Amino acid sequence: MTSESAVLPTLASTTIAVIGLGYVGLPLSAALAEHFDVLGFDIDPKRVAELAAGSDRTGELDDAELQAATRLRFSADTDDLATANVFIVAVPTPITAQRLPDLSPLLAASRTIGARLKRGDVVIYESTVYPGCTEEDCVPVLEEASGLRFNEDFYCGYSPERINPGDRERRVADIVKITSGSTPAAAEFVDALYRKVIRAGTHLAPSIAVAEAAKAVENTQRDVNIALANELALIFKRLSIDTEAVLEAAGTKWNFMPVRPGLVGGHCIGVDPYYLIHRAEQAGHYPELIRAARRINDGMSAHVSGELVKLMALRGIGVVNSRILLLGLSFKENCPDLRNTRVMEIVAELSRYHAAVDVHDPWVDAGEASEEYGVDLCAAPEAGSYDAILITVAHRQFREMGEVGLRRWLKSNGVIFDVRYALRLGESDSRL
């Protein structure tokens, strides 16, 4: 093996493989395919077949956008990865039941890439991790699987994803991209690669660890801010003050941050702070504020369930054998994304009170809901059937129905509890 460092690809010679075709990997693949030959790889053959047939169940790309990506092909065959010289990893980075980082998808992807890695190749990670993960956890796997040497035979970069699921206004190319690389030359290559695609521009971080930390901070900051809004909601509920009215009044100050209380789920905000917490504690620091924010946000499902039961009791509605309709299962409005949804915690809590709970969500695929959470979605709620409605996700369909439309599903004395301010003040019987 030569002692000279391998030569990086040129942009003209770049062929890309994107590993993971979910909410991040698929739109990124299509954007890259406007300039490069791209292989979209996923370990799920059903997902690959669906995309090859021109359909995306996540709704991130419509059929026309998929058909327009003529330089993008899909595969579940690991042998096809050998054609690439740039690998971009966009696999999930979940947490365990003990709320510790679960790197198994990331390390499995690294092993798969390592077995096909060649001299001069570049591996770029987009999955959210803690600072140091790329070089300390992923690189050794790449070296072991390939027999190659880091920064001599192959190079790495980190460019954290900034996809906002369901957002049709801010697409991949419209959001500034942080880039980084394991050597100055690798960093410039990674930055140049993304500059070809990202109209909003790039920000070249001084190191991979800085780029990793920046991503963790983005989501941790939002988690802490939502926790503040949630704690304010808990306080103002005890004071019989409407939280939304308070926040609207406070929002008239130019520098007030417009954050609202609610359930914190999804693939980022409810997960990523635990990666930073883990790394901080490894370094000997106990992050009290971040942990407190997580406790508050993780406790909101139980709080919402309890408030609904109290509301029903105050109206003389017994929860045992009652019928309750939950509106929304996805983790955010106008999006089918079910990852880390907190709505199922509410379903479980209300079921413990022996209530019959239906869940209605016009955005979510019924088969995916059944497969992921064992819940059978209610496709068409029956008029006049429910003792209570809990608005858990403010989908536009629910907003458009308004109070009159939603109350048609209720019994004559039924109540509406609005978690997400889908209705105006006074239109629901209670709200967060």
Side-chain angles (χ1 to χ4, degrees):
M1 187 173 293
T2 178
S3 60
E4 295 183 1
S5 295
V7 177
L8 286 156
T10 64
L11 290 184
S13 67
T14 292
T15 300
I16 300 170
V18 176
I19 318 301
L21 296 175
Y23 284 87
V24 173
L26 179 63
L28 176 65
S29 297
L32 289 165
E34 295 180 16
H35 305 275
F36 305 98
D37 291 328
V38 179
L39 172 70
F41 175 85
D42 200 283
I43 60 173
D44 182 359
K46 288 174 56 180
R47 174 67 169 158
V48 169
E50 164 197 304
L51 294 172
S55 177
D56 170 32
R57 79 174 84 104
T58 70
E60 291 302 301
L61 295 184
D62 58 34
D63 293 354
E65 289 171 319
L66 270 175
Q67 292 169 7
T70 56
R71 298 180 70 178
L72 171 60
R73 62 190 181 96
F74 302 103
S75 177
D77 185 348
T78 55
D79 289 340
D80 289 340
L81 295 172
T83 62
N85 53 11
V86 174
F87 302 86
I88 299 179
V89 181
V91 299
T93 44
I95 53 175
T96 67
Q98 294 74 37
R99 295 187 171 92
L100 295 172
D102 179 4
L103 297 181
S104 55
L106 192 67
L107 299 182
S110 298
R111 279 190 291 272
T112 298
I113 293 168
R116 280 93 190 159
L117 207 57
K118 307 174 296 299
R119 274 181 56 82
D121 286 355
V122 180
V123 184
I124 305 169
Y125 290 89
E126 290 220 0
S127 305
T128 304
V129 293
Y130 46 75
C133 181
T134 298
E135 292 167 292
E136 296 171 17
D137 296 286
C138 299
V139 163
V141 173
L142 293 171
E143 287 186 318
E144 181 180 7
S146 67
L148 301 176
R149 294 168 298 185
F150 179 49
N151 283 341
E152 292 183 25
D153 301 315
F154 70 93
Y155 306 91
C156 282
Y158 184 79
S159 181
E161 60 89 2
R162 279 180 164 172
I163 299 294
N164 188 26
D167 190 339
R168 303 296 293 183
E169 300 299 323
R170 292 179 290 267
R171 311 298 293 277
V172 175
D174 305 316
I175 304 171
V176 174
K177 201 86 162 69
I178 298 172
T179 64
S180 64
S182 55
T183 67
E188 178 51 40
F189 171 79
V190 172
D191 193 65
L193 176 71
Y194 283 107
R195 284 201 310 268
K196 288 279 289 184
V197 177
I198 307 300
R199 292 187 296 268
T202 61
H203 174 87
L204 179 56
S207 69
I208 286 177
V210 167
E212 292 168 325
K215 175 59 177 176
V217 166
E218 288 175 24
N219 293 328
T220 299
Q221 181 188 66
R222 183 151 175 79
D223 192 43
V224 170
N225 288 335
I226 296 174
L228 173 60
N230 278 333
E231 187 154 55
L232 292 174
L234 300 177
I235 294 169
F236 294 139
K237 176 66 71 172
R238 290 177 176 270
L239 299 177
S240 299
I241 300 174
D242 184 75
T243 304
E244 174 69 359
V246 172
L247 295 176
E248 285 181 355
T252 58
K253 190 167 187 282
W254 77 91
N255 60 352
F256 185 81
M257 296 185 66
V259 181
R260 292 298 184 267
L263 305 173
V264 182
H267 65 300
C268 286
I269 300 175
V271 173
D272 298 347
Y274 287 114
Y275 277 72
L276 189 56
I277 288 169
H278 170 76
R279 189 58 163 171
E281 292 180 347
Q282 279 187 330
H285 175 75
Y286 186 86
E288 297 184 40
L289 177 61
I290 300 172
R291 276 206 171 276
R294 282 283 76 233
R295 284 196 301 272
I296 292 169
N297 289 340
D298 279 348
M300 289 307 291
S301 301
H303 171 73
V304 166
S305 302
E307 287 299 309
L308 177 61
V309 171
K310 289 178 188 177
L311 174 62
M312 293 172 67
L314 289 171
R315 297 296 180 90
I317 304 171
V319 66
V320 176
N321 297 324
S322 65
R323 292 194 67 190
I324 301 175
L325 177 64
L326 269 57
L327 296 181
L329 179 61
S330 61
F331 89 88
K332 65 181 291 189
E333 65 273 7
N334 306 326
C335 176
D337 195 343
L338 290 177
R339 288 174 295 176
N340 194 33
T341 177
R342 311 313 293 263
V343 177
M344 288 308 301
E345 296 172 351
I346 297 175
V347 172
E349 188 70 14
L350 294 176
S351 298
R352 287 181 59 243
Y353 289 102
H354 304 288
V357 181
D358 286 344
V359 182
H360 174 61
D361 193 316
W363 284 84
V364 169
D365 180 79
E368 186 178 0
S370 178
E371 182 178 340
E372 290 294 320
Y373 295 105
V375 61
D376 295 323
L377 291 180
C378 175
E382 186 179 347
S385 297
Y386 295 96
D387 297 285
I389 288 175
L390 181 65
I391 306 175
T392 49
V393 187
H395 290 316
R396 59 173 172 79
Q397 289 91 336
F398 306 148
R399 292 183 181 274
E400 290 169 358
M401 289 180 69
E403 178 190 10
V404 174
L406 295 180
R407 288 196 185 275
R408 291 196 183 104
W409 287 329
L410 288 173
K411 297 176 182 177
S412 59
N413 66 332
V415 295
I416 297 177
F417 184 22
D418 187 0
V419 176
R420 294 300 298 165
Y421 307 111
L423 302 178
R424 292 189 293 268
L425 178 61
E427 292 185 335
S428 63
D429 298 282
S430 184
R431 56 186 189 172
L432 196 60

